[in-house]
PDB file of all heavy atoms in Angstrom:
ATOM      1  N   GLU Y  75     -17.061   0.987  34.533  1.00 67.00           N
ATOM      2  CA  GLU Y  75     -17.528   0.240  35.709  1.00 67.00           C
ATOM      3  C   GLU Y  75     -18.094  -1.118  35.303  1.00 67.00           C
ATOM      4  O   GLU Y  75     -19.103  -1.221  34.611  1.00 67.00           O
ATOM      5  CB  GLU Y  75     -18.611   1.043  36.448  1.00 67.00           C
ATOM      6  CG  GLU Y  75     -19.014   0.408  37.767  1.00 67.00           C
ATOM      7  CD  GLU Y  75     -20.026   1.270  38.523  1.00 67.00           C
ATOM      8  OE1 GLU Y  75     -20.326   2.379  38.044  1.00 67.00           O
ATOM      9  OE2 GLU Y  75     -20.503   0.829  39.564  1.00 67.00           O
ATOM     10  N   GLY Y  76     -17.432  -2.162  35.693  1.00 58.00           N
ATOM     11  CA  GLY Y  76     -17.878  -3.524  35.402  1.00 58.00           C
ATOM     12  C   GLY Y  76     -17.804  -3.906  33.936  1.00 58.00           C
ATOM     13  O   GLY Y  76     -18.387  -4.900  33.516  1.00 58.00           O
ATOM     14  N   ALA Y  77     -17.091  -3.123  33.121  1.00 61.00           N
ATOM     15  CA  ALA Y  77     -17.035  -3.384  31.680  1.00 61.00           C
ATOM     16  C   ALA Y  77     -16.278  -4.673  31.384  1.00 61.00           C
ATOM     17  O   ALA Y  77     -15.147  -4.837  31.815  1.00 61.00           O
ATOM     18  CB  ALA Y  77     -16.380  -2.214  30.972  1.00 61.00           C
ATOM     19  N   GLN Y  78     -16.930  -5.575  30.651  1.00 60.00           N
ATOM     20  CA  GLN Y  78     -16.300  -6.834  30.256  1.00 60.00           C
ATOM     21  C   GLN Y  78     -16.275  -6.995  28.733  1.00 60.00           C
ATOM     22  O   GLN Y  78     -15.385  -7.635  28.191  1.00 60.00           O
ATOM     23  CB  GLN Y  78     -17.055  -8.020  30.876  1.00 60.00           C
ATOM     24  CG  GLN Y  78     -17.080  -8.015  32.393  1.00 60.00           C
ATOM     25  CD  GLN Y  78     -15.694  -8.150  33.006  1.00 60.00           C
ATOM     26  OE1 GLN Y  78     -14.831  -8.834  32.461  1.00 60.00           O
ATOM     27  NE2 GLN Y  78     -15.472  -7.491  34.131  1.00 60.00           N
ATOM     28  N   ALA Y  79     -17.268  -6.408  28.057  1.00 61.00           N
ATOM     29  CA  ALA Y  79     -17.372  -6.517  26.600  1.00 61.00           C
ATOM     30  C   ALA Y  79     -17.199  -5.141  25.968  1.00 61.00           C
ATOM     31  O   ALA Y  79     -17.312  -4.110  26.641  1.00 61.00           O
ATOM     32  CB  ALA Y  79     -18.723  -7.119  26.226  1.00 61.00           C
ATOM     33  N   GLU Y  80     -16.963  -5.124  24.674  1.00 71.00           N
ATOM     34  CA  GLU Y  80     -16.756  -3.860  23.975  1.00 71.00           C
ATOM     35  C   GLU Y  80     -17.990  -2.976  24.054  1.00 71.00           C
ATOM     36  O   GLU Y  80     -19.121  -3.423  23.843  1.00 71.00           O
ATOM     37  CB  GLU Y  80     -16.406  -4.126  22.506  1.00 71.00           C
ATOM     38  CG  GLU Y  80     -16.097  -2.851  21.733  1.00 71.00           C
ATOM     39  CD  GLU Y  80     -15.680  -3.123  20.308  1.00 71.00           C
ATOM     40  OE1 GLU Y  80     -15.595  -4.314  19.935  1.00 71.00           O
ATOM     41  OE2 GLU Y  80     -15.437  -2.150  19.577  1.00 71.00           O
ATOM     42  N   ASN Y  81     -17.779  -1.709  24.362  1.00 71.00           N
ATOM     43  CA  ASN Y  81     -18.859  -0.730  24.440  1.00 71.00           C
ATOM     44  C   ASN Y  81     -19.032  -0.103  23.053  1.00 71.00           C
ATOM     45  O   ASN Y  81     -18.124   0.527  22.532  1.00 71.00           O
ATOM     46  CB  ASN Y  81     -18.517   0.346  25.475  1.00 71.00           C
ATOM     47  CG  ASN Y  81     -19.653   1.323  25.711  1.00 71.00           C
ATOM     48  OD1 ASN Y  81     -20.312   1.768  24.776  1.00 71.00           O
ATOM     49  ND2 ASN Y  81     -19.883   1.661  26.973  1.00 71.00           N
ATOM     50  N   THR Y  82     -20.205  -0.289  22.444  1.00 70.00           N
ATOM     51  CA  THR Y  82     -20.446   0.227  21.090  1.00 70.00           C
ATOM     52  C   THR Y  82     -21.394   1.416  21.087  1.00 70.00           C
ATOM     53  O   THR Y  82     -21.836   1.858  20.029  1.00 70.00           O
ATOM     54  CB  THR Y  82     -21.030  -0.877  20.197  1.00 70.00           C
ATOM     55  OG1 THR Y  82     -22.260  -1.358  20.777  1.00 70.00           O
ATOM     56  CG2 THR Y  82     -20.052  -2.040  20.045  1.00 70.00           C
ATOM     57  N   GLU Y  83     -21.697   1.956  22.271  1.00 77.00           N
ATOM     58  CA  GLU Y  83     -22.671   3.048  22.359  1.00 77.00           C
ATOM     59  C   GLU Y  83     -22.057   4.363  22.838  1.00 77.00           C
ATOM     60  O   GLU Y  83     -22.719   5.397  22.819  1.00 77.00           O
ATOM     61  CB  GLU Y  83     -23.811   2.652  23.325  1.00 77.00           C
ATOM     62  CG  GLU Y  83     -24.541   1.379  22.938  1.00 77.00           C
ATOM     63  CD  GLU Y  83     -25.265   1.515  21.612  1.00 77.00           C
ATOM     64  OE1 GLU Y  83     -25.761   2.626  21.323  1.00 77.00           O
ATOM     65  OE2 GLU Y  83     -25.326   0.530  20.863  1.00 77.00           O
ATOM     66  N   THR Y  84     -20.802   4.331  23.272  1.00 81.00           N
ATOM     67  CA  THR Y  84     -20.186   5.515  23.876  1.00 81.00           C
ATOM     68  C   THR Y  84     -18.806   5.748  23.281  1.00 81.00           C
ATOM     69  O   THR Y  84     -18.116   4.798  22.896  1.00 81.00           O
ATOM     70  CB  THR Y  84     -20.060   5.317  25.406  1.00 81.00           C
ATOM     71  OG1 THR Y  84     -21.320   4.935  25.937  1.00 81.00           O
ATOM     72  CG2 THR Y  84     -19.606   6.607  26.085  1.00 81.00           C
ATOM     73  N   ASP Y  85     -18.414   7.015  23.210  1.00 88.00           N
ATOM     74  CA  ASP Y  85     -17.070   7.370  22.752  1.00 88.00           C
ATOM     75  C   ASP Y  85     -16.242   7.884  23.928  1.00 88.00           C
ATOM     76  O   ASP Y  85     -16.763   8.587  24.798  1.00 88.00           O
ATOM     77  CB  ASP Y  85     -17.155   8.460  21.672  1.00 88.00           C
ATOM     78  CG  ASP Y  85     -17.934   7.994  20.465  1.00 88.00           C
ATOM     79  OD1 ASP Y  85     -17.651   6.886  19.973  1.00 88.00           O
ATOM     80  OD2 ASP Y  85     -18.838   8.730  20.013  1.00 88.00           O
ATOM     81  N   TRP Y  86     -14.958   7.533  23.926  1.00 90.00           N
ATOM     82  CA  TRP Y  86     -14.049   7.940  24.991  1.00 90.00           C
ATOM     83  C   TRP Y  86     -13.436   9.294  24.620  1.00 90.00           C
ATOM     84  O   TRP Y  86     -12.276   9.412  24.259  1.00 90.00           O
ATOM     85  CB  TRP Y  86     -12.969   6.873  25.175  1.00 90.00           C
ATOM     86  CG  TRP Y  86     -12.087   7.073  26.370  1.00 90.00           C
ATOM     87  CD1 TRP Y  86     -10.871   7.699  26.395  1.00 90.00           C
ATOM     88  CD2 TRP Y  86     -12.325   6.648  27.714  1.00 90.00           C
ATOM     89  NE1 TRP Y  86     -10.340   7.691  27.657  1.00 90.00           N
ATOM     90  CE2 TRP Y  86     -11.212   7.045  28.498  1.00 90.00           C
ATOM     91  CE3 TRP Y  86     -13.363   5.965  28.341  1.00 90.00           C
ATOM     92  CZ2 TRP Y  86     -11.115   6.780  29.865  1.00 90.00           C
ATOM     93  CZ3 TRP Y  86     -13.276   5.699  29.686  1.00 90.00           C
ATOM     94  CH2 TRP Y  86     -12.165   6.111  30.439  1.00 90.00           C
ATOM     95  N   GLU Y  87     -14.242  10.343  24.692  1.00 92.00           N
ATOM     96  CA  GLU Y  87     -13.763  11.671  24.308  1.00 92.00           C
ATOM     97  C   GLU Y  87     -14.463  12.743  25.136  1.00 92.00           C
ATOM     98  O   GLU Y  87     -15.585  12.563  25.607  1.00 92.00           O
ATOM     99  CB  GLU Y  87     -13.992  11.931  22.816  1.00 92.00           C
ATOM    100  CG  GLU Y  87     -15.442  11.955  22.404  1.00 92.00           C
ATOM    101  CD  GLU Y  87     -15.652  12.389  20.951  1.00 92.00           C
ATOM    102  OE1 GLU Y  87     -14.665  12.702  20.260  1.00 92.00           O
ATOM    103  OE2 GLU Y  87     -16.816  12.421  20.522  1.00 92.00           O
ATOM    104  N   SER Y  88     -13.759  13.834  25.296  1.00 93.00           N
ATOM    105  CA  SER Y  88     -14.283  15.014  25.984  1.00 93.00           C
ATOM    106  C   SER Y  88     -14.292  16.152  24.966  1.00 93.00           C
ATOM    107  O   SER Y  88     -13.237  16.487  24.406  1.00 93.00           O
ATOM    108  CB  SER Y  88     -13.389  15.365  27.181  1.00 93.00           C
ATOM    109  OG  SER Y  88     -13.786  16.595  27.754  1.00 93.00           O
ATOM    110  N   THR Y  89     -15.457  16.739  24.686  1.00 94.00           N
ATOM    111  CA  THR Y  89     -15.545  17.692  23.583  1.00 94.00           C
ATOM    112  C   THR Y  89     -16.365  18.929  23.949  1.00 94.00           C
ATOM    113  O   THR Y  89     -17.184  18.910  24.852  1.00 94.00           O
ATOM    114  CB  THR Y  89     -16.210  17.049  22.349  1.00 94.00           C
ATOM    115  OG1 THR Y  89     -17.593  16.814  22.634  1.00 94.00           O
ATOM    116  CG2 THR Y  89     -15.557  15.739  21.980  1.00 94.00           C
ATOM    117  N   PHE Y  90     -16.109  20.000  23.191  1.00 95.00           N
ATOM    118  CA  PHE Y  90     -17.032  21.131  23.110  1.00 95.00           C
ATOM    119  C   PHE Y  90     -16.934  21.698  21.705  1.00 95.00           C
ATOM    120  O   PHE Y  90     -15.988  21.394  20.964  1.00 95.00           O
ATOM    121  CB  PHE Y  90     -16.751  22.193  24.180  1.00 95.00           C
ATOM    122  CG  PHE Y  90     -15.453  22.934  24.029  1.00 95.00           C
ATOM    123  CD1 PHE Y  90     -15.375  24.162  23.369  1.00 95.00           C
ATOM    124  CD2 PHE Y  90     -14.268  22.414  24.568  1.00 95.00           C
ATOM    125  CE1 PHE Y  90     -14.179  24.844  23.249  1.00 95.00           C
ATOM    126  CE2 PHE Y  90     -13.067  23.093  24.444  1.00 95.00           C
ATOM    127  CZ  PHE Y  90     -13.023  24.317  23.792  1.00 95.00           C
ATOM    128  N   PHE Y  91     -17.927  22.488  21.311  1.00 96.00           N
ATOM    129  CA  PHE Y  91     -18.028  22.928  19.922  1.00 96.00           C
ATOM    130  C   PHE Y  91     -18.051  24.443  19.837  1.00 96.00           C
ATOM    131  O   PHE Y  91     -18.793  25.111  20.561  1.00 96.00           O
ATOM    132  CB  PHE Y  91     -19.295  22.357  19.279  1.00 96.00           C
ATOM    133  CG  PHE Y  91     -19.321  22.504  17.782  1.00 96.00           C
ATOM    134  CD1 PHE Y  91     -18.665  21.598  16.967  1.00 96.00           C
ATOM    135  CD2 PHE Y  91     -19.993  23.565  17.186  1.00 96.00           C
ATOM    136  CE1 PHE Y  91     -18.675  21.742  15.583  1.00 96.00           C
ATOM    137  CE2 PHE Y  91     -20.014  23.715  15.803  1.00 96.00           C
ATOM    138  CZ  PHE Y  91     -19.355  22.794  15.006  1.00 96.00           C
ATOM    139  N   LEU Y  92     -17.221  24.963  18.943  1.00 97.00           N
ATOM    140  CA  LEU Y  92     -17.195  26.396  18.661  1.00 97.00           C
ATOM    141  C   LEU Y  92     -17.795  26.639  17.275  1.00 97.00           C
ATOM    142  O   LEU Y  92     -17.343  26.054  16.293  1.00 97.00           O
ATOM    143  CB  LEU Y  92     -15.756  26.924  18.685  1.00 97.00           C
ATOM    144  CG  LEU Y  92     -15.026  26.861  20.026  1.00 97.00           C
ATOM    145  CD1 LEU Y  92     -13.565  27.281  19.847  1.00 97.00           C
ATOM    146  CD2 LEU Y  92     -15.704  27.770  21.053  1.00 97.00           C
ATOM    147  N   ARG Y  93     -18.811  27.474  17.222  1.00 96.00           N
ATOM    148  CA  ARG Y  93     -19.396  27.840  15.935  1.00 96.00           C
ATOM    149  C   ARG Y  93     -18.767  29.143  15.460  1.00 96.00           C
ATOM    150  O   ARG Y  93     -18.661  30.100  16.224  1.00 96.00           O
ATOM    151  CB  ARG Y  93     -20.914  28.011  16.077  1.00 96.00           C
ATOM    152  CG  ARG Y  93     -21.635  28.253  14.755  1.00 96.00           C
ATOM    153  CD  ARG Y  93     -23.138  28.379  14.953  1.00 96.00           C
ATOM    154  NE  ARG Y  93     -23.485  29.558  15.743  1.00 96.00           N
ATOM    155  CZ  ARG Y  93     -23.987  29.548  16.958  1.00 96.00           C
ATOM    156  NH1 ARG Y  93     -24.194  28.393  17.569  1.00 96.00           N
ATOM    157  NH2 ARG Y  93     -24.275  30.672  17.600  1.00 96.00           N
ATOM    158  N   HIS Y  94     -18.332  29.190  14.204  1.00 96.00           N
ATOM    159  CA  HIS Y  94     -17.700  30.383  13.634  1.00 96.00           C
ATOM    160  C   HIS Y  94     -18.608  31.095  12.641  1.00 96.00           C
ATOM    161  O   HIS Y  94     -18.716  32.315  12.648  1.00 96.00           O
ATOM    162  CB  HIS Y  94     -16.389  30.002  12.945  1.00 96.00           C
ATOM    163  CG  HIS Y  94     -15.505  29.107  13.746  1.00 96.00           C
ATOM    164  ND1 HIS Y  94     -15.121  29.394  15.050  1.00 96.00           N
ATOM    165  CD2 HIS Y  94     -14.934  27.914  13.449  1.00 96.00           C
ATOM    166  CE1 HIS Y  94     -14.344  28.420  15.497  1.00 96.00           C
ATOM    167  NE2 HIS Y  94     -14.214  27.513  14.551  1.00 96.00           N
ATOM    168  N   LEU Y  95     -19.254  30.342  11.749  1.00 94.00           N
ATOM    169  CA  LEU Y  95     -20.160  30.893  10.744  1.00 94.00           C
ATOM    170  C   LEU Y  95     -21.474  30.119  10.774  1.00 94.00           C
ATOM    171  O   LEU Y  95     -21.470  28.925  11.031  1.00 94.00           O
ATOM    172  CB  LEU Y  95     -19.539  30.760   9.338  1.00 94.00           C
ATOM    173  CG  LEU Y  95     -18.259  31.538   9.043  1.00 94.00           C
ATOM    174  CD1 LEU Y  95     -17.736  31.164   7.644  1.00 94.00           C
ATOM    175  CD2 LEU Y  95     -18.501  33.031   9.118  1.00 94.00           C
ATOM    176  N   PRO Y  96     -22.621  30.754  10.534  1.00 93.00           N
ATOM    177  CA  PRO Y  96     -22.755  32.160  10.132  1.00 93.00           C
ATOM    178  C   PRO Y  96     -22.556  33.178  11.266  1.00 93.00           C
ATOM    179  O   PRO Y  96     -22.184  34.312  10.996  1.00 93.00           O
ATOM    180  CB  PRO Y  96     -24.181  32.233   9.583  1.00 93.00           C
ATOM    181  CG  PRO Y  96     -24.898  31.116  10.264  1.00 93.00           C
ATOM    182  CD  PRO Y  96     -23.894  30.029  10.456  1.00 93.00           C
ATOM    183  N   GLN Y  97     -22.803  32.771  12.512  1.00 93.00           N
ATOM    184  CA  GLN Y  97     -22.505  33.665  13.639  1.00 93.00           C
ATOM    185  C   GLN Y  97     -21.672  32.905  14.659  1.00 93.00           C
ATOM    186  O   GLN Y  97     -21.950  31.748  14.954  1.00 93.00           O
ATOM    187  CB  GLN Y  97     -23.791  34.177  14.325  1.00 93.00           C
ATOM    188  CG  GLN Y  97     -24.590  35.185  13.517  1.00 93.00           C
ATOM    189  CD  GLN Y  97     -25.639  34.498  12.649  1.00 93.00           C
ATOM    190  OE1 GLN Y  97     -26.155  33.451  13.014  1.00 93.00           O
ATOM    191  NE2 GLN Y  97     -25.937  35.080  11.500  1.00 93.00           N
ATOM    192  N   SER Y  98     -20.667  33.580  15.199  1.00 95.00           N
ATOM    193  CA  SER Y  98     -19.791  32.950  16.181  1.00 95.00           C
ATOM    194  C   SER Y  98     -20.481  32.846  17.538  1.00 95.00           C
ATOM    195  O   SER Y  98     -21.261  33.715  17.935  1.00 95.00           O
ATOM    196  CB  SER Y  98     -18.506  33.768  16.327  1.00 95.00           C
ATOM    197  OG  SER Y  98     -17.717  33.263  17.386  1.00 95.00           O
TER     198      SER Y  98
END
Side-chain angles (χ1 to χ4, degrees):
E75 187 176 356
Q78 299 296 326
E80 183 177 358
N81 186 318
T82 59
E83 302 296 325
T84 308
D85 299 312
W86 188 265
E87 64 173 359
S88 173
T89 69
F90 67 95
F91 193 82
L92 295 174
R93 186 178 65 248
H94 313 307
L95 295 175
Q97 289 91 31
S98 173

